[in-house]
Amino acid sequence: MRFTQHIRRLPPPFYPGKPGEGAPVGRYVRNVSLPYSPDHRTPKEETGGYGEHADYMRARVIADERRRSWARFGSLKSQVSVRDLFPSEAEYAEELEAEKRWWPELETMKKELQRIESQKEQDEALRQRQIAAAMSQMPKWMNIYKGKTPVKDRTPGIRQKLILEKKKSKTDYVVQSLTNEEAIIDLVGKKLDPRSMEYKQYVSKMQLEQKNQKKRKAALKKRGQATVDD
């Protein structure tokens, strides 16, 4: 790594004094005067300080400083192994995942492009169908806009029963006999309360009529059999 830009604005080189010969000359500059190889035990003040962003950048700052120390002073003085300079397996895996996410393969991009184009075609076809359906209603809307009420096909109430009877299936059964309640409704023209006296009177009349009909039928049968025997 080049340090030319940093060296131009630095004080004189750091010459540590020998024991008993006074203080050293100049000042200490990291990885310029002496090697500086931080690790996870280094205080946070020396690797960016405190805070969320500083904690996020701490590992990157430590790795950069160790690489600079090894590049300037070598493995012996910096006490940094060459293996520590390369990314770990976890970093490799993270970088590979990032490459797959941000730079996908050509076949993957083609498939995604085909999916997007097919979705666009479906949306356009749906839009055209909606336009066609709306255009078919245009005459009615124009009449409404011009103040003309659309003509409705109304069938008179008298003909509705005939139309419904024609629409009935041919398999509909024909009622051969009516119950007492249905017969009373057919006779009176309205529905009566079964608990009322009027309803009971009609029921008694109908029962009497049914008995008379049975008697007449039995008498006719007897006459018929007598005629045959003669």
Side-chain angles (χ1 to χ4, degrees):
M1 182 176 181
R2 297 175 61 86
F3 292 90
T4 307
Q5 297 179 357
H6 299 280
I7 292 174
R8 287 177 184 175
R9 48 192 175 87
L10 290 175
F14 182 83
Y15 296 105
K18 295 179 182 180
E21 294 186 2
V25 179
R27 67 173 184 171
Y28 170 64
V29 181
R30 293 177 181 176
N31 287 331
V32 176
S33 301
L34 285 177
Y36 174 68
S37 305
D39 55 14
H40 65 281
R41 296 168 294 181
T42 305
K44 289 188 177 182
E45 292 86 351
E46 300 179 9
T47 57
Y50 297 88
E52 185 178 354
H53 182 69
D55 293 340
Y56 172 74
M57 296 294 295
R58 177 176 168 82
R60 188 179 299 179
V61 171
I62 290 173
D64 291 343
E65 291 294 344
R66 291 176 70 85
R67 290 190 182 100
R68 292 192 189 101
S69 178
W70 180 87
R72 186 167 181 82
F73 299 100
S75 298
L76 186 61
K77 288 185 178 181
S78 65
Q79 297 181 356
V80 177
S81 175
V82 181
R83 296 180 179 179
D84 297 340
L85 305 177
F86 294 94
S88 62
E89 293 183 1
E91 292 174 344
Y92 271 122
E94 184 179 357
E95 186 66 22
L96 181 60
E97 185 66 25
E99 288 182 2
K100 289 180 179 179
R101 184 168 63 254
W102 294 106
W103 298 287
E105 297 180 356
L106 181 60
E107 294 298 327
T108 306
M109 295 174 67
K110 285 182 178 179
K111 290 180 181 179
E112 184 66 17
L113 183 60
Q114 290 176 359
R115 186 188 67 81
I116 293 172
E117 288 180 351
S118 64
Q119 184 65 35
K120 284 184 178 179
E121 291 177 357
Q122 293 176 4
D123 294 343
E124 183 64 23
L126 177 61
R127 178 172 168 272
Q128 292 297 332
R129 289 196 297 270
Q130 291 175 349
I131 291 172
M135 290 301 294
S136 64
Q137 301 292 327
M138 185 62 69
K140 182 180 74 175
W141 293 340
M142 289 297 294
N143 291 333
I144 295 172
Y145 176 74
K146 292 177 181 178
K148 298 179 181 179
T149 56
V151 180
K152 294 183 179 180
D153 185 14
R154 293 183 178 178
T155 306
I158 299 172
R159 295 184 57 196
Q160 285 182 1
K161 292 183 179 179
L162 298 174
I163 293 171
L164 290 173
E165 288 177 359
K166 289 180 180 179
K167 288 182 178 179
K168 283 184 180 179
S169 175
K170 294 180 180 179
T171 57
D172 289 347
Y173 63 92
V174 179
V175 178
Q176 300 293 337
S177 61
L178 299 176
T179 61
N180 292 336
E181 187 176 359
E182 291 173 348
I184 291 171
I185 293 173
D186 187 58
L187 181 63
V188 180
K190 62 180 180 179
K191 188 174 182 180
L192 299 177
D193 188 359
R195 297 170 296 180
S196 64
M197 292 299 297
E198 187 179 2
Y199 181 85
K200 292 178 180 179
Q201 288 175 2
Y202 279 111
V203 170
S204 61
K205 287 181 182 180
M206 291 174 60
Q207 289 177 353
L208 182 60
E209 183 66 26
Q210 289 174 1
K211 286 181 180 179
N212 293 333
Q213 285 182 3
K214 287 181 179 179
K215 287 179 180 180
R216 286 196 293 269
K217 286 182 180 179
L220 289 172
K221 263 188 182 181
K222 286 181 180 180
R223 287 180 185 177
Q225 288 179 358
T227 306
V228 171
D229 293 338
D230 292 344

